[in-house]
Amino acid sequence: MMKRISIIFAAVLGITVTGVQHTHAQQTGVIQGTVVDAKTQEPLIGVNVVVVDTDLGASTDMEGFYRITGVPIGTERLRFSYIGYETLLRTDVIVTRNKPAQENAELQPQAVEGEEVVVTAGYFEELRKAQTSKIQLSKEEIRRFPGGFEDVVRTVAALPGVAINNDGGRNDLLVRGGGPSENLYLINNIEIPNINHFGSQGTGSGSLSFINLDFVDKVDFSTGGFSAQYGDKMSSVLALDMADGREDRFGSKVLVSATQYGLNAEGPLGNDGNFIYSIRRSYLDLIFEANGLPFVPTYTDWNFVANYDVTPTDKLFVLGIGAYDEVNRDQSTLESRVFNAGIMDNSQNRWIGGLNYRHLLGSGYLDFTLSNNYTDFQFSQVDSVQTEYFRSEATEVETNLKLQHYWRLSNSVNLLSGASVKDVRNENTTTFADTIYNRNGDQVPVNSLGIPQRLEENSDAFKNALFSEIQWKITPKLEVSTGIRADIYTFLDQPWYVAPRFKMRYAFNEVFSLKSSAGIYYQAPSYVWVINDVNTQLKALRNNMAVVGFDYLLDEDLRLSVESYYKDYQDLPTGATPGTDYLVITNTGTGFGGRENDFQSFGYFPMESTAYGHAYGFELFLQKKYSEVPHYGKASLTYSKSEFTAGNGRVQPGEFDQRWIFNLYGGYKFNADWEMSGKFRFFTGAPYTPVYRPSENGGEIQNLPEEYLSKRLEPGHHLDVRLNRYWNFESWTFIAFIDIQNIYNNRIQVRPRYDFWEDEVVDRQGIGILPSIGLSAEL
């Protein structure tokens, strides 16, 4: 019966089986990897690793390593089994001729010692943990996602609980009523402030991720209820585990797509290590010029990761990232200069370096993490005669030292604890001309907007943290975790904040489990807010969050999850002066905060921690993994509501308050050569502030604050499709894809803006149907 449910699910997704499966018996490849204990990270010896539905397999050696040869090319599945551990199924293992497929695994110990029973974790590893609101994605699931540009952030943005920014060209995580500054990014335990090109200062927003997907092994995305080890963010955690480079020989990959081209290189580091390196460059000018836009954002990025086994019990991970962003403008005509006068010049350079050193202790492990994040922002704005009236030069540097210790006290009790010291250097000089341009395009004195003419900060402060968490498997059915976290923000007048957290999972049987979590989550004000000295009296932002839900396995490859949540926001920053006291700064736009919103998104003006709000909702999520029935998919329905009360007492909806979101995504693998997928999205409209022609509204484009977020956009919907074609040659693989976004060309309503040149209000998305073609050759 359950297999029939899977087939029905494929039909619902609209995936029609056409074509005949054919094999490549004469073409084979290799699958290899390591298997470790999920708790202690110790290698497991003698684990049986089998290619499902074949007689191919291997056992792990003394170092937990296995290697399976003669595997047919295409997409395979692996089964990992070991006495005393839960059996794990791993899908989407892509086998090619030119490169071994690297598939590492972590096996969960069974709860009760001495019982030789078969417990299956199945395809959904995250379901066996007490963590609520967590979804795990493999690299392959991200790569084939239609309309995702093989971008980690764009892919998770289509998961339950994430609102849609339909303004276009944005890479924003808007989680369960939260704003774009409330998300934590991690790469192999190394914290990254923002993983997007053209990042918005003070938030985690941007345009496109600079993380090369080829470097990613898997992604864990948590939209709530995360444990005490994660801090300084209130809404979500996006944790990336990076892949190993190949160790058999040197290899490379060349990529050309609609937005960028690049080169990868990977290979061994002696006998005990490996590396991957890439460099990419954009050529977005083709898309922007095709749409008549007189500005072109261009970027370059490079990624480097290395893994090295110093000893059998000591492992070193090294990360290096560089990203360079600039905006090129066409100022050759008056029309272009008028248009560009409303666009913030957001050029920035970013360097990220880090290492994680892990020492295995037998009953646990010790992690030592050292990282440095350097970001140089260069913002400016000019008028139509190219006179600059705003400039901000900001350098934010974070140097973070973190220690984390995991100790398995028994087979059912574990202790995780740690401490971190983060040195924060903030150098910012922001200058306005005597007169600047406001949102109406009028030249006004700078003090009329409540902003100082010059702001300057050169500070060195600390963000320190301590945490401890105990995980207890009370019975085979009941697991609880309780922890406490203390954060210290020395650049605030009130520096200390303590946050208790709790989560629980009760498994009624092998297929049905109940989960819940509750806790307090604090977040420091963004660095750009405190360059105004008045704002050091702000408190840390607070979110009291509770989540409850259940998971039901309809089959080993098909899950149903239902969750509800409530978030109580306190101590949010709001304007402290008339004219700004209607704003809740975390509830403002995701853009760059220039003339079009009177520079208010930056938070330069005086603020106070008197705003508050709440968000609540529920989510239904149905997920089908690739299995013996070669289709996959996800369907989700989200309802949410968010409201905030500003300093003036006015209640306003969340700017990203989309009440209903429906996502439907699925794909089918016809054979080892062809794959097709599609994604449909429907969403109700978000709030917006009406925009008028100034000549018809007393010279004002917007009536503020009385009409702030008083209207809603129309519902929107679009369909994206993707087709992949693979060619496997003797020593290299060639991949081509076509990805068509908004295939039926539905021009979605967006937040309106006033076009100064045309003297009209524009409220439709400029880019309709958008085809993208990509080619890659892997050697």
Side-chain angles (χ1 to χ4, degrees), residues 286-293 747 766-768 770:
L286 299 179
I287 295 176
F288 279 70
E289 289 175 3
N291 285 275
L293 298 174
R747 293 184 180 270
I767 299 177
L770 181 61

Side-chain angles (χ1 to χ4, degrees), residues 24-289:
H24 293 251
Q26 75 281 10
Q27 300 185 32
T28 62
V30 174
I31 303 176
Q32 64 184 32
T34 57
V35 185
V36 300
D37 183 301
K39 302 293 187 182
T40 67
Q41 299 297 301
E42 289 285 334
L44 297 178
I45 304 167
V47 176
N48 292 317
V49 187
V50 176
V51 181
V52 177
D53 294 334
T54 75
D55 57 359
L56 300 172
S59 297
T60 55
D61 61 16
M62 296 290 291
E63 297 179 347
F65 178 80
Y66 73 92
R67 179 180 174 88
I68 307 173
T69 59
V71 183
I73 66 168
T75 305
E76 298 292 345
R77 294 169 294 134
L78 295 179
R79 177 179 285 107
F80 299 84
S81 58
Y82 195 51
I83 294 177
Y85 287 79
E86 297 181 358
T87 297
L88 173 67
L89 288 168
R90 182 66 59 79
T91 188
D92 290 318
V93 182
I94 306 301
V95 182
T96 62
R97 299 181 68 188
N98 67 296
K99 175 183 177 181
Q102 187 76 21
E103 200 67 29
N104 302 326
E106 298 181 357
L107 299 189
Q108 291 284 345
Q110 289 178 195
V112 182
E113 299 179 20
E115 287 191 6
E116 294 186 11
V117 295
V118 177
V119 180
T120 301
Y123 292 107
F124 303 100
E125 301 174 50
E126 64 270 32
L127 297 189
R128 293 290 172 181
K129 301 176 182 179
Q131 173 71 58
T132 58
S133 313
K134 185 175 182 180
I135 298 173
Q136 187 176 100
L137 298 175
S138 67
K139 174 172 67 177
E140 181 63 12
E141 289 176 296
I142 298 170
R143 181 199 59 77
R144 67 194 180 200
F145 189 76
F149 289 123
E150 299 188 359
D151 185 302
V152 172
V153 180
R154 287 179 185 268
T155 304
V156 301
L159 293 174
V162 184
I164 299 166
N165 187 341
N166 58 354
D167 289 341
R170 301 296 306 165
N171 224 19
D172 306 306
L173 284 181
L174 309 170
V175 179
R176 292 180 169 177
S181 64
E182 299 177 26
N183 311 295
L184 175 64
Y185 300 104
L186 294 165
I187 299 178
N188 279 37
N189 203 36
I190 297 170
E191 294 183 18
I192 310 296
N194 192 345
I195 62 173
N196 294 302
H197 285 290
F198 297 101
S200 301
Q201 191 179 11
T203 79
S205 296
S207 299
L208 193 71
S209 172
F210 52 67
I211 304 299
N212 189 331
L213 182 60
D214 292 327
F215 287 52
V216 177
D217 180 42
K218 65 178 181 179
V219 174
D220 287 320
F221 182 51
S222 174
T223 56
F226 39 92
S227 62
Q229 70 183 111
Y230 303 119
D232 201 24
K233 296 296 177 182
M234 296 190 295
S235 283
S236 78
V237 176
L238 182 64
L240 284 67
D241 284 352
M242 306 306 274
D244 294 326
R246 64 188 305 168
E247 297 183 341
D248 57 333
R249 64 173 176 84
F250 180 83
S252 61
K253 178 180 178 180
V254 179
L255 167 70
V256 179
S257 70
T259 57
Q260 64 186 13
Y261 60 92
L263 173 67
N264 293 4
E266 61 177 323
L269 289 173
N271 296 323
D272 300 304
N274 56 77
F275 77 93
I276 315 176
Y277 175 81
S278 77
I279 185 168
R280 303 183 299 181
R281 172 73 176 175
S282 71
Y283 51 90
L284 292 170
D285 51 305
L286 299 179
I287 295 176
F288 279 70
E289 289 175 3

